[in-house]
Amino acid sequence: MLGAIIGDMVGSVYEFNSIKTKKFNIFNINNRMTDDSMLTLAVAEVLSKYYPIDYTKENLEKIKKDLIKEFVETVKKDPGRGYGGFFYDWCKYNNNGYKPYNSYGNGSAMRISPVGWIANSEEEVKKLSKAVTEITHNHQEGIKGAEAVAMCIYLARTGKDKEYIKHYVKNNYYPEIDKLDFDELVKTYTFSVTCQKSVPQAIYCFLISNSMEDAIRNCIAIGGDCDTTGAMAGSIAEAYYQRDELSDFEKKFIYLQIDSGYINRIKKFYNMLNNKKLIDVR
């Protein structure tokens, strides 16, 4: 989850200011948490209330209702985080009784990382990801994009290597990931807020990385909606590289760029999972 927030913060500077290079100051004073981070925290907050998760239909419906309330309250408290237009209107105006609006936007995948940390089987990933996602993004591509990211986190967290993760993504979600090329993406990739045009690219940026920082830099280099691709790639990279240990890279964000109130919420989530990587963070 911390990887998603850091990826979002780094990408926030370049979302509408593509630089198409990996060479930039990643600790930019203008880094900020956008809607990606705020909704990730909202998902974590609600799932924490129900942990350990009971995967019955009745309980998943309760989670969905509480998450709707949490999303609405999150936007109400802090509306200036760059929420997507449909989502913002859904939260603010309740024009359709908080029914899903058939979105296939990548908002479903940017907020999903807590699921990948909580679920303890592939089946649990699928059930919990769908419940978290379909309250807004009930289009099949929105559901697929969120599940793909959550599944990558789960697979990385449970020790699967990159080759396994790549084949899983290729065989179950995005066959095109096998044909992606970094240099070509830097040259030709353009802005898209759809899952189908950003989730495979974000996963690819993780697959070719050598660290969480490198995965995020890859996202900035290809451009596009890079706060969101950064959040997705960063979340997977954390589970792969830093699932049990806090890196110096993460520490700089924790101590220099993320407000202590949010750090407390992140730490609470990891502590709930009995993950000690933030145990010494004050």
Side-chain angles (χ1 to χ4, degrees):
M1 187 174 74
L2 179 59
I5 292 170
I6 293 174
D8 171 43
M9 292 179 72
V10 174
S12 67
V13 179
Y14 305 104
E15 181 183 10
F16 301 111
N17 181 32
S18 181
I19 55 173
K20 294 288 185 174
T21 179
K22 292 177 70 170
K23 297 179 180 179
F24 63 94
N25 177 17
I26 205 162
F27 300 107
N28 193 308
I29 193 173
N30 294 314
N31 288 344
R32 65 186 290 266
M33 292 168 62
T34 75
D35 56 334
D36 305 59
S37 295
M38 305 311 294
L39 298 182
T40 295
L41 288 168
V43 171
E45 188 75 22
V46 170
L47 295 185
S48 295
K49 296 177 184 177
Y50 289 87
Y51 185 81
I53 305 296
D54 173 2
Y55 287 87
T56 61
K57 182 178 180 181
E58 293 77 13
N59 196 59
L60 292 175
E61 286 298 321
K62 291 178 182 178
I63 290 173
K64 289 162 66 173
K65 289 180 180 178
D66 274 7
L67 191 54
I68 289 171
K69 294 177 183 178
E70 188 70 24
F71 281 168
V72 171
E73 191 62 25
T74 297
V75 173
K76 182 179 179 180
K77 287 180 179 178
D78 198 354
R81 294 285 180 170
Y83 299 100
F86 286 117
F87 179 81
Y88 182 84
D89 287 349
W90 178 84
C91 286
K92 187 171 182 179
Y93 300 113
N94 183 20
N95 290 333
N96 63 355
Y98 297 122
K99 293 179 181 178
Y101 46 91
N102 201 37
S103 176
Y104 49 83
N106 56 21
S108 65
M110 74 187 188
R111 70 194 192 201
I112 202 66
S113 57
V115 170
W117 285 91
I118 284 178
N120 287 314
S121 69
E122 292 179 18
E123 189 61 29
E124 287 186 3
V125 171
K126 293 175 182 179
K127 287 182 178 180
L128 192 55
S129 176
K130 186 173 185 291
V132 166
T133 300
E134 66 184 1
I135 60 173
T136 52
H137 295 60
N138 58 326
H139 190 283
Q140 63 177 0
E141 290 292 343
I143 292 172
K144 181 174 78 171
E147 184 184 302
V149 173
M151 190 66 75
C152 285
I153 294 168
Y154 168 75
L155 295 174
R157 179 176 66 84
T158 53
K160 297 297 189 291
D161 62 24
K162 288 183 180 179
E163 195 64 25
Y164 184 98
I165 295 171
K166 180 179 179 180
H167 281 294
Y168 195 102
V169 171
K170 176 184 175 181
N171 293 333
N172 293 280
Y173 303 110
Y174 300 108
E176 65 269 29
I177 200 165
D178 205 31
K179 298 180 180 179
L180 294 179
D181 176 78
F182 180 71
D183 291 333
E184 186 65 22
L185 286 171
V186 172
K187 291 178 184 177
T188 64
Y189 183 62
T190 57
F191 191 98
S192 176
V193 297
T194 67
C195 277
Q196 51 269 46
K197 293 295 184 180
S198 61
V199 173
Q201 288 77 12
I203 295 173
Y204 174 76
C205 283
F206 153 70
L207 289 171
I208 63 169
S209 70
N210 56 43
S211 66
M212 184 198 298
E213 178 178 346
D214 192 53
I216 295 169
R217 285 186 181 275
N218 288 337
C219 291
I220 305 306
I222 70 171
D225 190 15
C226 51
D227 63 331
T228 297
T229 55
M232 292 186 280
S235 66
I236 303 167
E238 181 196 5
Y240 188 83
Y241 297 110
Q242 304 297 156
R243 61 180 176 267
D244 301 311
E245 183 180 6
L246 195 63
S247 65
D248 290 339
F249 175 68
E250 292 169 294
K251 287 177 184 178
K252 288 182 180 179
F253 280 89
I254 286 174
Y255 291 115
L256 299 177
Q257 295 205 302
I258 303 178
D259 183 89
S260 60
Y262 297 124
I263 292 298
N264 289 336
R265 292 175 66 181
I266 297 167
K267 184 176 179 179
K268 176 183 175 184
F269 181 77
Y270 286 102
N271 288 347
M272 178 193 74
L273 298 173
N274 201 31
N275 185 303
K276 306 299 184 185
K277 67 178 288 183
L278 271 68
I279 195 70
D280 295 325
V281 172
R282 297 288 186 269

